[in-house]
Amino acid sequence: MSSIAASSTIGGSGSAEPSGVKKTSKRPKYSKFTQQELPACKPILTPRWVILTFLVAGVVFIPLGVICLFASQGVVEIVDRYDTDCVPETSRNNKVAYIQGAGDKICNRTIMVNKTMKHPVYIYYQLENFYQNHRRYVKSRNDAQLRSPREEHDVKTCAPEDNVDGQPIVPCGLVAWSLFNDTYRFSRNNQQLPVNKKGISWKSDKENKFGKNVFPKHFQKGAPIGGGALDPNKSLSEQEDLIVWMRTAALPTFRKLYGKIETDLKSGDTITVLLENNYNTYSFNGEKKLVLSTTSWLGGRNDFLGIAYLTVGSICLFLAVTFAVLYLVKPRQLGDPSYLSWNRSAGGLQ
Amino acid sequence: MAGGGTKRRKRRLQLSKLYTLTCTKACFKPDHSQIGGPGFSRVVYCNEPDSPEIDSMNYCDNYVRTTKYTLATFLPKSLFEQFRRVANFYFLVTGILSFTPLAPYTAASAIAPLLFVIGATMVKEGVEDWRRKKQDIEVNNRKVKVHRGDGNFDSREWKTLSIGDIVKVEKNEFFPADLVLLSSSYEDAICYVETMNLDGETNLKVKQGLEVTSSLRDDNFKGFEAFVKCEDPNANLYSFVGTMELKGAKYPLSPQQLLLRDSKLRNTDFIFGAVIFTGHDTKVIQNSTGPPSKRSMIEKKMDKIIYLMFFMVVTMAFIGSVIFGVTTRDDFKNGVMKRWYLRPDSSSIFFDPKRAPMAAFYHFLTAVMLYSYFIPISLYVSIEIVKVLQSIFINQDIHMYYEEADKPARARTSNLNEELGQVDTILSDKTGTLTCNSMEFIKCSVAGTAYGRGVTEVEMAMGRRKGSFLVFQSNEDDVEYSKEAVAEESTVKGFNFRDERIMNGNWVTETHADVIQKFFRLLAVCHTVIPEVDEDTEKISYEAESPDEAAFVIAARELGFEFFNRTQTTISVRELDLVTGKRIERLYKVLNVLEFNSTRKRMSVIVQDEDGKLLLLCKGADNVMFERLSKNGREFEEETRDHVNEYADAGLRTLILAYRELDENEYKVFNERISEAKSSVSADREALIEEVTEMVEKDFILLGATAVEDKLQNGVPDCIDKLAQAGIKIWVLTGDKMETAINIGFSCSLLRQDMKQIIINLETPEIHLLEKTGEKNAIAKASKENVLSQIINGKSQLKYSELAIGCASVICCRSSPKQKALVTRLVKSGNGKTTLAIGDGANDVGMLQEADIGVGISGVEGMQAVMSSDIAIAQFRYLERLLLVHGHWCYRRISTMICYFFYKNITFGFTLFLYEAYTTFSSTPAYNDWFLSLYNVFFSSLPVIALGVFDQDVSARYCLKFPLLYQEGVQNVLFSWRRILGWMFNGFYSAVIIFFLCKSSLQSQAYNHDGKTLGREVLGGTMYTCIVWVVNLQMALAISYFTLIQHIVIWGSIVVWYFFIAVYGELPPRISTDAYRVFVEALAPSLSYWVITLFVVVSTLMPYFIYSAVQMRFFPMYHGMIQWLRYEGQCNDPEYCDMVRQRSIRPTTVGFTARLEAKKRSVRRSESDS
């Protein structure tokens, strides 16, 4: 018996002993909650539910897919890639040198409108292989500085585009510094098509993130010069190109709004674009495209969603039929124990 | 205290004279010379509270602390505990790193959830410790009477006791500290002590104070002074060496004078004692070891999953770093900048192309931080919350509340809940667990005639077995309980004897009336019971050292031999005189008592009756008694042997009663020699006494045999049957002898006649031979401790465990507490499955702590087992509900919960990784910082907690109706690697589908009607919305139990997400950064956001839905089958239900269902033969 003593424990060993005085009953109070008997809905995947679910999904998805596809198809989109074409033949071996070299880089592009485009026609520039979502890039800005002139000196996250000659750059950081600076001028039948550059940015950005009394300072003053320059007399909240640019894109292929054409473009119209090809995408083999597009209620042109809806909807209908057939052909055997894995090895268990 | 209401009379007794073996005079032993030396330096001044020496000695006070923390150590200690968990440590490291520029997100967003999680766990720890503290306070503030000088005693708290205090402890009180016994209510300073809390032995122990102090009473403590020198505090319960100096004379102190804390004063009105050891110096606390911390199998496996996740994180980070390193290096070559907008020419080390390997290394750290969302930070805390709530449900279960003792079930540790659902083998104690430990005198055999018509539980079981199966299967419960109720109502407790032949004085007409008289007289005289007479009702109650002794005296009383008084040398019995036919009082002079012990297996008294005849009355076990019969005393031997065997078959405890007459001379010689032996001081004193008693305990004349029923607890056979149907193996480990154990085995349906029995004991030592006969349907009984220890220590361990594990049921007899623990370890290591030990006494503590789960029965045998158990229940039968219902649910809940946790974190974390691929692995998070960090806290945590707390695959009723469901846990099908990896795979493909569908839908085209294109925040917001929908709907798909709570948390989480993104977006841009107004301005007004959400969510859930539909219909798991049954309403059709159950139940080998099946088989066989 002595062996047990070593492991005996203490701790008010007698505390639960009835201590003479009659205590109140420790009987647990009955409630549906404590007894885990709450009224519950216990659905299981019966054939009816499974077939119904697939049917509903199919019936909802296919029309939705059709609608989406129609919306997408209704969008007229003209894409014109110009990065290579706007480099003179002679310089095509070394596009980087060309784009970094001095001189006029005017380029004329002609765009055919095959389908009538109702106004507003949105003008986008599309960059590819441009990692606006790179962490260094994304972080290289200072939101406080953009909002308020008092925070002008707050450039700590902006290196190396933080100071020039000891003076803080406003707006600092790589994002602003690499501002896209190709420009487009449109004309139809030698008639200038005005480009509305107002209202291309999100309202919240314009009003709350970019200060009305913050003006560019020392911007693009230090070497090297990255992208476009800013008008030092216009406050940041009015520099919508910058605001659009500074809302960083999610993916390396992205479009950004350049402006709007407020007139309809008719089918058969020929649009001439006078293009200033300034922006360097050549060093990283990035493509540049000019996009004119109308929008639908769903946005721009992308057939993916409609096709995907249709595909999944059809699969659902197909599955509904398949399951219906399966259920008919192979009715479930109740309580068939052969499914239970442990029954197979029962011999070893005894 | 106890019995304070009624006056009782009890003579002052000097019982010490009675005890031959235990009470001897104190004498100096060689040990006493060590006093004052090293290890024996303790000095105590008794009854001198103002003595100047006390202050200088600096002994600890009597406050006992069992809490894990104190106020000062709580913070550092609990923090340390927290960060010992590898996942928490990882989050701590990432949290610290997030303050460096390496961090992909803000430090606050990384630290906040960690603080929340750690804080919640610490609060839980604090609350638990506070409970312990309250218990400590309760114990430490118990009152005891302490001498205040001038012979006055005041009540004071235990904690205020100090060394040398004189305390008065009254009946049924615990000793507040280790005391030296000075005097008691008995003249000779003896007292009875129950040491159940220390060693689990239920019989009372006799302690005796020194003779010099035995006369001390309340008043004479004025001016009493004593000086005690003794050993230093140590953990040995059975040794004590000290001296007491009293008025210049020195007296030796031995364990005989020591009263240990936590033992209880019994059968003695009060004692006076001097405090020797207090608080943490007391032997019981010196003995205490913290309970071993147990972890469930699931939790151990969860650690492995976490390591797997770490591995994945590291792999992903490594892949990312390599690609990042290469692209970074390529950015600036030979002075040519590739991605000039990143200014690679003037970069910090983290992005420096010239030091690309270094940048890659730093990137690796960043990526590890970013992918930390793979590891569910809230997993541990969620599991802990869930387990606490599950424990509350266990505690609150009204079906596990034992009305009579007012005891609900109590889950003492919450971390083993799910383990309850995986029990493969139950190791059960017998006494107090399967049986009530209440003895009932039920049968006897006198002069070769068997008396007693009482029906034993075993006989009921036999009858049930023999009777028609159909009748009993349907309503056996009612039969059992009604019979029990009848039995309990009709009789005195401890007496279930009915036989009109000898009851009500009818025995005088029997043929052997004289033998019957001697038989019951022996029962009335041969014992150490103390009678207590209630003065008002004249009713006599007995206080006995063991319940069977009380049963005997009660039986004698009920049959007309009423033992009513005991003085130090006499026993008075009212009995019927055979000649006159009147009731007369007889006085027997008790000359010697030779007590029972386990080696002697018998107990004798030597008495002188009124005629002056000297009688030696003896009762003992059959094997020792039959060999001591005289030649002419074997008249009824054969019949008695038959009866004894019959009784043993029926599961009864038997004793043989015999007597002999001693002549004067013989007694004189004996008395001289026993006195000589008693006063001997040599070490072989015990052997001497043994030798002397051996001399007189022979040549007995047989009277008969008694049979006492060790009652089975309510519902035990039923419960065992259910557990057996659930495929749980049951082993019984008992200290009882083989026959009793086998009988109990039969009565609980653990054994069956047609089983092959393998008995391993000393008589058949060729265990290897047994290997060959080790058939499936076999019982192994490892009997006799030396064989067991040989088995455990020896080479044959492996073979034994192979054999035993192959057996249907195993009963180990004669096992000591240590052996019980060793057997438990053997089983645990043998098959690596979960073991559950259930027991009620302190002798089961080892077993309870060794087993994966220890269940304590909070019955009559004290609290020791409960204190060391993980879960306490009041009755064995509650085990059924505890395992089949709560165990199954908890197992299912926890395993599903963990799987789901990893699923949801992989779904979330992997989209981050996929997005990385489109940022040249620069570690730009796809989501806003706070979206990232709150994912685990707000948008996905509550449903999974609700799943862990409330989910039910099938209701409690069906859990019990289809016990085989339990095998899901034993086979671990819900937490197999296949299932875990399946859920992980589900997470991965969900992430892939969500990411690519969102990315393809949200390409560079205009995003809304306004022609705006999307930025990072729109893609992030859309993807995040899809994830929140998907993981919550996945939850809704995975469970099939929706109460209002599920609805609230699942749909609530989704609503909370929209609410959060809207509110968070309204905060000033300084706080909300790129999430500023993203919902109200960009996402919500854009139809494409909603259309994409709908499409992505449905498409992502589609594969699981198909899988689930196919599985549920064509390959349902067992719970699925039961769900079908319930759904189709066929459960009300008993025949159909039974068919399903029978078809799905593997043939069980144990339990009465199996017994009935076997019976049917044999009937069928005999039918086909004929």
Side-chain angles (χ1 to χ4, degrees), chain A residues 200-219:
Chain A
I200 55 172
S201 64
W202 293 101
K203 206 172 135 225
S204 64
D205 277 0
K206 200 173 148 147
E207 288 176 359
N208 300 74
K209 287 191 177 171
F210 293 82
K212 286 192 178 62
N213 46 3
V214 182
F215 294 90
K217 277 183 193 161
H218 314 286
F219 190 67

Side-chain angles (χ1 to χ4, degrees), chain A residues 5 12-13 26-27 35-36 41 124 131 133 136 161 204 208 247 250 255 280 283 295 300 302 309 334, chain B residues 262 287 338 340-343 396 403 406 893 915 924 952 1000 1006 1009 1011 1013 1017 1042 1076 1081 1091 1136:
Chain A
S13 346
K26 289 182 201 144
R27 185 187 175 88
Q35 300 310 309
Q36 307 192 56
C41 156
Y124 303 95
Y131 288 89
N133 56 18
R136 175 171 162 84
E161 294 302 322
S204 64
N208 300 74
R247 193 171 263 228
R255 287 180 195 169
N280 175 13
S283 61
T295 59
N302 186 352
Y309 257 118
L334 257 185
Chain B
D262 277 346
N287 248 307
K338 209 169 156 199
W340 56 269
Y341 51 90
L342 296 176
R343 286 294 300 271
Q396 290 289 320
E403 191 82 60
D406 188 29
R893 288 166 183 174
Y915 182 69
T924 317
Q952 298 178 7
S1000 307
H1009 186 61
T1013 55
E1017 67 292 329
F1042 291 89
Y1076 181 68
E1081 188 184 52
V1091 175
Y1136 187 80

